[in-house]
Every structure is written in structure tokens, then in C-alpha cells.
């Protein structure tokens, strides 16, 4: 891989004496040892942390996504052409992307994300993937100016949405006018991080960059949809989807949130639309999934993952692009993509969309809304000393929007437990 993709924003650095690690191994270590990664152990994946001792957190989800990502690379290394194999990310790079992909998510999952986005609408909005990019590129303490100071290719691989926030509508009131659902965040990076995005995309030609950053404009929230991502990001997203669609499904089955009858209601029609071989396998795995034998269920989960991993292939998505990393993506065939999307839909409908989960989400959203209001109103009184100093510096140099971004960084970095404790400290008598 050419030197510009291995470059770091801080410039050439002298490795420690005797350090034989590759750039990708160093990136992986920086993510693994970061405070932002450790906080994932107490951040919601689907069910709130503390509700059950079995299901996955953001941390275990990220570890499983990393393992699946490595499996995708191994598969493509065996079935891909010589030119395709040459493009693939190193295993350490693939694991780095999967380990880091969720570190920008705030407490309380997507509910918390929507709450912070609403509060940040006057100051550029909020979105979890944008916050991930901000953490690795600016906030984490490895480098005083460049966050974890990761390689350019690693940063490119973390760009699920390689575009900046559109112009966001600002509500008339600082309190939500009804449901927060209408304020789902745009999938994009923050305007204040445009300098970092420009640095990452610097090796692309003007034509490649224009194609790569193409968007579809939407009439309603989330306002826009970016069309493209890099090869590495497509592999990371596929690993994430498989972990979500299969392993989060396992949580739902084991905790009794998804019953066998609900499974059949949702999946029987899906299975009927598959080719006979895949349909037969899914019928068998459906029976195994609800077996009373834990080992039988576990085998079914592994077999579901295998369906998707063994069908991954490389396809051309930007035929005119010069740079292979944006010209090609990893994809699934139509049948397997349909099946994976259907499994994700089961998790959404019978887990995420259940009243008990939505009630927790509503409660959590309101906690973050109130926390933001309190800190925004009384920053010099309520913020911790370090955050207060950063808030003051941002406010004096760049004004309220920059200060609000510092405040948002602080709240987004909280674990679920910390946010709960802070809320009790401020509001519970």
C-alpha cells in the first residue's frame, strides 16, 4: 500500500527502539488501549446495561464484529482474484476498524444519539459515526492535536458517511415539540472536523472525491444519505451488520424477548422467497435456534454467520474512480443480503420496538435532554474542571457553537452508568 495511506497527520514519527510493529498493529493498539474503547463496556447495545447479565454491550458487540471482520478477510483472501487480494486491508487494520466503529456512540444507544442531535441542531448536530471520527482524529489523548493519530487508511475505513452535515433546520424551541423521532441525525461528519476530512481524502483526485462524496438529498430527517464508502468501510459495515443481525438475535432468543412463534411469523415468508438450498438450511437453523440445548442453539448461530461470511465478494461501485479503495466495495449476493436485512428487521421489530425497550429509551432520552440543558445553562458551575477549561477556551475563541461542541463531547463520552449517576446528582432529591 502506498505511503500516503500509511501516513499520520502528525507526520513521520520515530518508532520506539526495537518496535517492529506495522502501522496497522500500532493503530489497533491505540484503539484497544483508549479510554473511549474501554467505555463501551458500559454502553447500551440494544437492551439497557444492567437489565440482564447475558446480553451484549457495545464492547462485546465490537469484539464480535472484529472477529467477523477477520473472517471476511480470510474468506476473500482464499476466493478473491490476485488484484482483489492485494487491495484487502491487513487483518490488524480490519480489527481496528471493527473495534473502533462504535466508540462515538453516546450513552443509551440511538435514543441518546437522537436526544443529543436535537440539542445540537443550532451548533451543527450530532451523530455517532461523526463522533467516532472526532474521537480518533482529535479528542483521544494519544496526541495533543490529533487524537489517536491513526493512519490515513484507518481513518478512511472509519468513514461510513464521508460527507459533512447538511444545513440543519433549527426548532423554534429548545424543548422537543412532540416526538424526537423527527429529529433523527443526518449521517455525516461535523463541519468543525472538515479539516480532518480534507486530510484523509487528500490522496483522491478531484473527480474521485466528487464521486465518492455524492449524496441523495432527503426531504425529511435525516436530510441526506451518502452514496458511497471505501472498501475497508464496506467490510467493517458488513461485519457490523452480521453481528447485529445474528448475535443480537441470539440475545433476543436467550432472554425470551423473541419467541419461536414470532420468529415464524416474520421469517416464514422470507424463507419461502429464498432459493431451495438456502431455504432448507434456514428451516433447519430456525428449529435449532429455539432448541433447549444451548450447544445446538450456539451451532445455529455459528451457521448463520457462516452463511454470510462465505458469500462475501468484491464488486465495483465507482467504475470511473482511479483509487481502488473507493472504486470497490465488499458485498453480499442478493439472496443473502435479503436474508440478513430480514434478520435485522426481526431484531428491530421484536426487540428494539418493544414497549419495554422504548419506555427505557424514552426515559434515557429525557435524561440526556435535561443533562444538556443543565450544563448548557450553568457550564461554569456544573462542568468538571477539565471540561470547564476546554469549554471556556472554545467559547472565548470561537463562540457558543464551539463551546456547545465541547459540552456535547463530554456528554457523548459518558457511559450509561455515569450518565445515570450525573442525572441523579442534578435532578433527584
Amino acid at each position: 500500500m502506498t505511503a500516503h495511506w500509511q501516513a499520520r497527520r502528525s507526520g513521520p514519527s520515530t518508532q520506539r527502539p526495537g518496535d517492529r510493529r506495522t502501522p496497522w498493529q500500532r493503530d489497533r493498539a491505540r484503539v484497544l488501549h483508549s479510554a473511549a474503547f474501554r467505555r463501551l463496556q458500559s454502553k447500551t447495545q440494544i437492551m439497557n446495561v444492567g437489565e440482564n447479565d447475558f446480553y451484549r454491550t457495545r464492547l462485546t458487540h465490537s469484539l464480535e464484529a472484529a472477529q467477523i471482520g477477520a473472517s471476511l478477510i480470510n474468506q476473500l483472501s482464499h476466493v478473491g482474484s490476485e488484484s482483489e487480494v492485494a487491495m484487502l486491508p491487513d487483518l490488524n487494520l480490519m480489527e481496528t476498524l471493527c473495534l473502533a466503529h462504535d466508540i462515538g456512540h453516546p450513552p443509551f444507544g440511538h435514543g441518546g444519539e437522537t436526544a443529543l442531535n436535537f440539542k445540537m441542531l443550532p451548533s451543527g448536530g450530532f451523530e455517532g459515526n461523526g463522533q467516532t471520527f472526532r474521537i480518533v482524529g482529535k479528542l483521544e489523548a494519544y496526541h495533543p492535536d490529533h487524537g489517536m493519530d491513526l493512519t490515513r487508511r484507518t481513518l478512511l475505513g472509519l468513514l461510513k458517511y464521508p460527507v459533512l452535515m447538511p444545513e440543519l433546520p433549527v426548532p423554534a424551541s429548545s424543548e422537543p415539540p412532540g416526538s424526537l423521532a423527527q429529529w433523527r441525525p443526518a449521517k455525516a461528519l461535523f463541519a468543525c472536523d472538515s479539516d480532518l476530512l480534507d486530510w484523509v481524502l487528500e490522496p483522491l483526485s478531484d473527480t474521485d472525491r466528487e464521486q465518492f462524496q455524492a449524496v441523495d438529498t432527503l426531504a425529511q430527517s435525516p436530510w441526506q444519505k451518502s452514496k458511497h464508502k471505501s472498501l475497508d468501510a464496506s467490510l467493517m459495515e458488513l461485519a457490523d451488520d452480521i453481528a447485529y443481525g445474528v448475535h443480537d438475535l441470539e440475545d433476543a432468543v436467550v432472554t425470551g424477548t423473541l419467541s419461536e412463534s414470532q420468529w415464524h411469523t416474520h421469517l416464514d415468508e422470507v424463507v419461502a422467497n429464498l432459493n431451495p438450498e438456502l431455504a432448507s438450511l434456514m428451516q433447519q437453523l430456525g428449529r435449532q435456534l429455539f432448541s433447549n440445548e444451548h450447544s445446538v442453539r450456539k451451532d445455529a448461530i455459528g451457521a448463520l454467520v457462516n452463511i454470510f461470511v462465505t458469500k462475501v465478494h468484491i464488486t465495483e461501485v465507482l467504475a470511473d474512480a482511479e483509487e481502488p479503495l473507493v472504486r470497490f466495495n465488499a458485498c453480499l449476493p442478493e439472496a443473502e443480503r435479503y436474508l440478513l436485512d430480514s434478520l435485522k428487521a426481526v431484531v428491530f421489530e421484536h426487540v428494539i420496538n418493544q414497549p419495554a425497550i422504548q419506555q427505557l429509551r424514552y426515559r434515557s432520552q429525557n435524561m440526556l435532554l435535561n443533562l444538556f440543558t443543565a450544563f448548557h445553562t450553568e457550564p461554569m458551575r456544573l462542568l468538571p474542571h477539565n471540561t470547564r477549561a476546554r469549554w471556556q477556551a472554545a467559547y472565548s475563541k470561537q463562540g457558543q457553537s464551539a463551546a456547545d461542541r465541547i459540552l456535547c463531547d463530554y456528554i457523548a463520552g459518558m457511559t450509561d452508568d455515569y450518565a445515570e449517576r450525573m442525572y441523579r446528582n442534578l435532578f433527584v432529591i
Side-chain angles (χ1 to χ4, degrees):
M1 182 54 61
T2 49
H4 55 249
W5 290 117
Q6 294 187 20
R8 301 183 190 276
R9 201 175 183 200
S10 63
S13 60
T14 304
Q15 287 191 238
R16 295 181 179 93
D19 186 353
R20 304 299 181 189
R21 293 176 299 168
T22 67
W24 323 121
Q25 289 172 321
R26 296 173 72 192
D27 281 359
R28 183 181 184 275
R30 293 179 187 191
V31 170
L32 197 58
H33 294 291
S34 67
F37 181 72
R38 288 195 301 277
R39 291 189 187 106
L40 295 178
Q41 66 187 303
S42 188
K43 288 195 176 187
T44 294
Q45 172 64 7
I46 292 181
M47 304 175 191
N48 274 28
V49 172
E51 294 293 318
N52 187 287
D53 64 358
F54 172 82
Y55 60 79
R56 289 155 170 90
T57 64
R58 288 274 177 191
L59 179 64
T60 57
H61 162 77
S62 298
L63 292 170
E64 288 172 334
Q67 185 275 320
I68 292 170
S71 296
L72 292 171
I73 299 300
N74 285 330
Q75 175 70 17
L76 288 169
S77 296
H78 284 89
V79 302
S81 66
E82 185 176 342
S83 60
E84 289 173 347
V85 172
M87 289 188 296
L88 293 177
D90 176 270
L91 280 173
N92 290 284
L93 171 55
M94 188 72 254
E95 289 191 4
T96 301
L97 300 178
C98 293
L99 292 172
H101 82 281
D102 266 353
I103 61 175
H105 276 273
F108 312 124
H110 289 290
E113 181 184 43
T114 303
L116 283 182
N117 180 58
F118 176 80
K119 285 295 188 180
M120 286 295 292
L121 286 172
S123 303
F126 177 83
E127 197 273 332
N129 295 284
Q131 189 69 10
T132 294
F133 189 64
R134 182 167 169 79
I135 288 171
V136 299
K138 292 189 175 181
L139 300 182
E140 191 63 40
Y142 190 91
H143 188 279
D145 299 312
H146 306 306
M148 295 184 196
D149 197 28
L150 304 178
T151 57
R152 183 183 264 120
R153 180 167 179 175
T154 299
L155 291 173
L156 179 70
L158 288 171
L159 291 176
K160 285 182 69 173
Y161 314 108
V163 296
L164 296 176
M165 282 280 181
E167 193 70 32
L168 298 172
V170 179
S173 170
S174 61
E175 297 305 315
S179 172
L180 275 176
Q182 62 184 305
W183 302 107
R184 289 177 302 152
K187 302 298 186 181
L189 308 176
F190 311 134
C192 58
D193 298 323
S194 61
D195 57 327
L196 180 58
L197 177 62
D198 288 340
W199 182 81
V200 173
L201 301 184
E202 190 177 291
L204 300 184
S205 68
D206 291 344
T207 303
D208 278 10
R209 178 166 178 172
E210 182 179 357
Q211 291 184 85
F212 183 56
Q213 293 189 285
V215 298
D216 287 326
T217 302
L218 307 178
Q220 296 178 319
S221 171
W223 317 113
Q224 73 178 17
K225 181 179 181 181
S226 59
K227 294 182 177 182
H228 303 293
K229 57 183 65 66
S230 70
L231 171 64
D232 299 351
S234 71
L235 282 159
M236 175 265 285
E237 186 173 49
L238 182 54
D240 184 25
D241 280 352
I242 296 171
Y244 172 75
V246 178
H247 289 303
D248 290 351
L249 174 70
E250 181 183 13
D251 282 359
V253 172
V254 173
T255 58
T257 311
L258 176 69
S259 68
E260 189 169 4
S261 62
Q262 289 171 326
W263 166 268
H264 286 295
T265 298
H266 201 103
L267 262 294
D268 282 356
E269 182 178 348
V270 171
V271 171
N273 291 327
L274 300 174
N275 63 68
E277 182 181 356
L278 185 53
S280 176
L281 176 58
M282 283 303 301
Q283 288 168 350
Q284 174 191 336
L285 296 180
R287 291 189 295 270
Q288 290 179 255
L289 195 60
F290 292 92
S291 170
N292 291 326
E293 293 289 334
H294 296 318
S295 60
V296 174
R297 182 180 61 244
K298 206 66 183 176
D299 184 60
I301 292 297
L304 281 171
V305 172
N306 186 68
I307 288 173
F308 306 116
V309 169
T310 56
K311 292 297 184 180
V312 65
H313 65 275
I314 301 296
T315 189
E316 191 175 64
V317 291
L318 282 175
D320 297 330
E322 300 171 24
E323 172 55 60
L325 290 182
V326 301
R327 184 175 179 176
F328 297 95
N329 273 188
C331 299
L332 290 176
E334 185 177 345
E336 283 74 18
R337 184 74 250 183
Y338 169 61
L339 175 58
L340 181 55
D341 288 343
S342 299
L343 293 179
K344 291 169 61 181
V346 170
V347 174
F348 179 82
E349 183 59 35
H350 294 291
V351 182
I352 297 173
N353 215 27
Q354 287 302 298
I357 297 296
Q358 288 302 314
Q359 288 162 12
L360 286 170
R361 176 172 287 193
Y362 179 82
R363 169 180 173 269
S364 302
Q365 283 180 324
N366 280 285
M367 286 170 56
L368 288 194
L369 290 172
N370 288 326
L371 281 177
F372 191 99
T373 297
F375 291 127
H376 178 81
T377 305
E378 297 269 15
M380 299 303 294
R381 182 182 178 193
L382 301 178
L383 286 173
H385 291 296
N386 289 342
T387 307
R388 184 191 308 172
R390 291 195 296 273
W391 185 94
Q392 274 185 295
Y395 186 81
S396 62
K397 293 179 181 178
Q398 297 171 283
Q400 187 64 58
S401 290
D404 282 349
R405 182 60 63 189
I406 300 300
L407 169 55
C408 186
D409 290 339
Y410 172 58
I411 297 176
M414 294 179 178
T415 64
D416 293 16
D417 294 338
Y418 185 89
E420 290 247 17
R421 288 197 303 273
M422 184 61 70
Y423 181 83
R424 288 198 300 270
N425 290 343
L426 293 176
F427 295 104
V428 178
I429 299 174

